[in-house]
Amino acid sequence: MRSQDTRSDTHPTRLRARPRLRHRAAAVAVALLGAAGLSACGSSGGGKVTLNFYSFPDNSGAVQQAVDSCGTSRYTIQYNKLPNAADGQRQQLVRRLAAQDSALDILGLDVTWEAEFAEAGWILPWTGANEQQATAGTLKAPLETARWKGKLYAVPYNSNTQLLWYRSDLVPTPPKTWDEMINDAIKLAKQGKPHLIEIQGAQYEGVVVWFNTLVASAGGSILNASASGPSLGKPAVKALTVMKKLASSAAADPSLSVQMEDQNRLAMEDGRAAFQLNYPFVYPSMKADKPKLFKVFKYTQYPRVDANTPSHVTIGGIDLAISKYSSHPDLAFKAALCLRNRKNQLIAATKGGLPPTIESLYSDPALAKSYPFHAEILAALKNASVRPKTPAYQNVSIVISHAVSPPGAINPSSTESTIASQIKDALASKGLIP
Amino acid sequence: MTVDLDKDAAAGATSTAPAKAKRAPVSEGARAERRLGWLLCAPAVIVMIAVTAYPIAYAVYLSLERYDLRFPKQAKFVGLSNYGAVLSSPYWWHALYVTMIITVVSVVVELILGMLLALLMHRTLFGRGTVRTAILVPYGIVTVVAAFSWQYAWTPNTGYLVGHFSSGAPLVHEYQAIAIIILAEIWKTTPFMALLLMAGLALVPEDLQKAAKMDGATGWQRFVRITLPLMKPAILVALLFRTLDAFRIFDNIFILTAGGNDTYSVSILGYDNLFTALNLGIGSAISILIFICVAIIASIFIKGFGASAPGAEG
Amino acid sequence: MATTAKQKASWGIGNTVAILLAVIPVLWIVSLSFKDPSTITDGKFIPRKWTLENYRGIFKTSEFTRALINSIGIALISTLIAVVLASMAAYAVARLRFPGKSVLIGMSLLIAMFPAISLVTPLFNIERALHLFDTWPALIIPYVAFGLPLGIYTLSAFFREIPWELEKAAKMDGATPFQAFTKVIAPLAAPGMFTTAILVFIFAWNDFLFAISLTSTTSARTVPAAIGFFTGSSQFTAPTGSICAAAVIITIPIILFVLFFQRRIVAGLTSGAVKG
């Protein structure tokens, strides 16, 4: 009897206690969801369209200035930042484009992504008047990065290319070829002076750029013309020989296999190096950090592989593309053209240090002040090479970086055949990547 | 009516004790217990299912498709061929090898270290608050930042550790880099073990310890005979979750070496194929295989610990 | 049981070693955060040139402050919900008999084991469809879902150890089951609940994968994701100083949180029930 009493006592009380808690929790959850829903949907009122511009985070203020000045009566542009690292940027864009997110309009793409995005159907081709305006006065090599299967898929915003930076107190006349440079370095090493050649040798995209530059400068290319298979061959073997020669000589930095652009810059600023292959960002940095060393800090063209052929340095940079799922593509095209027009590229160059893609800017006196090396950069851009254009570029890049880094482990002929066979698989998107 | 009351009373008298008559008609008390059980579990179950049911099902479905995001028109159903591609790839087996090394070494070291720290946090004579807080700080630091600081510490010319322990760049050599990764893991997650073990320690009644002491048992005997057995459930939870997490290690490797120079784990392999190569089929197959491996490990643990598993009656 | 000097000394040594090992890498981060950018790679433990510029820099815009607020709010709410739900489920698992118990255990283990990288994209798709993308619930809901398995396991291990008799005794003294739970069981389970709270909080605080995938603006971006947006002086320069300054700032709440809760674990123990 007693147990029955306690049972009937427990049953209703327990049930009564629980729902209170659960109802309150449910109410909170609904309120949260409701608030979220209200804030997420329905922010556009009136007639003015907001175009969303997604690009790398720029802390110089140049991009924000362009965004602010490019608004018109029909639209305003909103600058949304992507993560700092290129891989992070690509991930965010890919995820949202694959989900057909209509909240992206203008995209800032790294120069190696256009083929991939175009093939996947995520960006719109540029045609007619838009294409004309995009190509007018623009340098050829950056335009090349934006082309895929004969169509133009993006408009170049800024470019980037490497120069040879050297110390004039150690090397009065700069070397013209890689062999000369390595020999100069070995001579300096024998004299006990700073002698290192700083170059990016870590297992990442930078070493692929180095390899591509050498292959192109040797007169070859990584992929064949139709991007259906590897080309490589003798030029690639020559390129690998150069890399191996550097890595096994006294000119190699002991940390070569972990170095990226910034470590190269630091090694040069610390006074340990005589030569550096790097982007122009090292110039203002040396000026600010080591004013004494800056006095003997000079620049020249990237060294050649073959003494009779100019070097073909591989370029980097950003192109602007329009998302296929944008709700206002016509406005977005116009906005993108404005963002990268002459005025804004000049601001990006002077404020942000990014080499422009419009040729006439290089003879503009306003650029010369902050870009004393503008002539060298223009020459490099005119002779530039681009990285292999294929939707499977990420795979190709990983294959190459794993094969040529650490550079000391290269065996020119066998490495070349390894890369060739792995590229075949990579292009077919077969198998795994490490 | 009276018959029912009698039956209910008889069944009810036994329902409050753990044993329950399985074949007799379910009494009201047992039914109420069941309902209560379901009610209490419902919110947790609903949240977990709502969040993970579709994603898990989608991942399984993707693993059976040949689907590369960059060639969307070529997507098609291929059954188990993705699994075949993964299992026949040397990259998978190397990743598994690296993962096993990291998991076994770090979990063993963390268990021992964690037990020592748990004893310290629980028993130390003074400065308990400071010790506990200091020990838990590594666990609270954002993982990517901690990994970043380790990478810096081991980079030649800029780090404070690299000069003392090795020459050259240790992060570029496979086994040295793996050792550094293990070190970073241990530093970061031993507090997790220590915390769970300390909570388990707190449940061991003082009286038993005092009684054993009076019977002349040494500290070690007391530890092995009294403390450890009573801590079994806590040890199981700590070991289980720590091993599951160690097997899926990602952040530390990603920051320290990005998986370069053959230091990639199975998670890094999955990440590379899923997000970098945009090969959803292969990437999902790798994820499912990781899951299967982890499930095998979990079942070994639970079988090994037997009655101490949650939900088991013991 | 008088404490000898030797005992004190050995515990003291133990304390010191543990604290040093835990704290030296953290001090390294602190030191990096105060270093002037030109000396940041000099490898010295103590900065040669001290500067507050790194700290000033991260607070120059509201991005980091916003990320801090997001992190604190999201982690706290997730912890609260997860601990409440896990306590309820763990109590049921440890105390009650009902069919489907092993299914629940198995399911929560399955969720804990499944690699998150595969779940991120489908989760992103769902949240976009529900207009939850880039909001606080976008992160709170997954954090709760993935924090529950650990919570349920930890708490059920705790509830199992609490003697059955205490509850019965309380009921015989006239307490309702709810009162028995709150006045007798809950204080004893407090160590477990606070342990779970610490673990879930740190999981939500530290998470990077979901934070970077399910947010896109500062309205919901948490600190680990926000760190990925820090820039250095050029696109090639790692923002070391800023990252370390941010790390120091976000570790302070953790230290406070841990300092506050570690006393509760002991307080729960000494509330008297076990001895009585």
Side-chain angles (χ1 to χ4, degrees), chain B residues 124 132-133 142 187 248 287 312, chain C residues 15 112 118 160 206 250 259 266:
Chain B
T124 193
R132 285 183 189 156
T133 312
V142 174
W187 182 80
R248 296 173 304 162
S287 298
Chain C
N15 283 1
S118 309
R160 270 167 40 102
N206 263 349
I250 63 170
L259 204 55
V266 182

Side-chain angles (χ1 to χ4, degrees), chain A residues 137-140 356-364 378 382:
Chain A
T138 308
L139 287 160
K140 225 172 35 114
T357 49
I358 294 182
E359 186 163 352
S360 60
L361 271 175
Y362 283 93
S363 36
D364 193 310
L378 183 61
K382 283 200 149 155

Side-chain angles (χ1 to χ4, degrees), chain A residues 400-422:
Chain A
I400 295 177
S401 67
H402 279 244
V404 306
S405 173
I410 295 178
N411 176 322
S413 46
S414 64
T415 307
E416 190 268 344
S417 33
T418 311
I419 298 181
S421 66
Q422 287 185 340

Side-chain angles (χ1 to χ4, degrees), chain B residues 185-206:
Chain B
E185 269 296 287
I186 292 176
W187 182 80
K188 185 90 192 12
T189 47
T190 303
F192 172 83
M193 290 282 251
L195 189 62
L196 286 177
L197 291 175
M198 183 184 88
L201 260 182
L203 284 175
V204 175
E206 280 297 309

Side-chain angles (χ1 to χ4, degrees), chain A residues 257-316:
Chain A
S257 38
V258 273
Q259 284 190 320
M260 302 192 188
E261 292 87 353
D262 212 46
Q263 282 93 336
N264 294 141
R265 167 186 74 90
L266 289 165
M268 190 92 190
E269 289 183 8
D270 282 348
R272 285 177 271 136
F275 304 96
Q276 183 185 188
L277 289 320
N278 217 332
Y279 297 93
F281 78 103
V282 300
Y283 185 80
S285 173
M286 178 71 86
K287 193 165 175 190
D289 291 347
K290 294 271 171 10
K292 264 205 292 186
L293 207 53
F294 180 68
K295 298 204 182 88
V296 293
F297 189 59
K298 304 278 180 263
Y299 45 85
T300 182
Q301 290 295 352
Y302 200 94
R304 305 172 172 204
V305 170
D306 171 35
N308 304 320
T309 342
S311 55
H312 299 291
V313 191
T314 303
I315 57 170

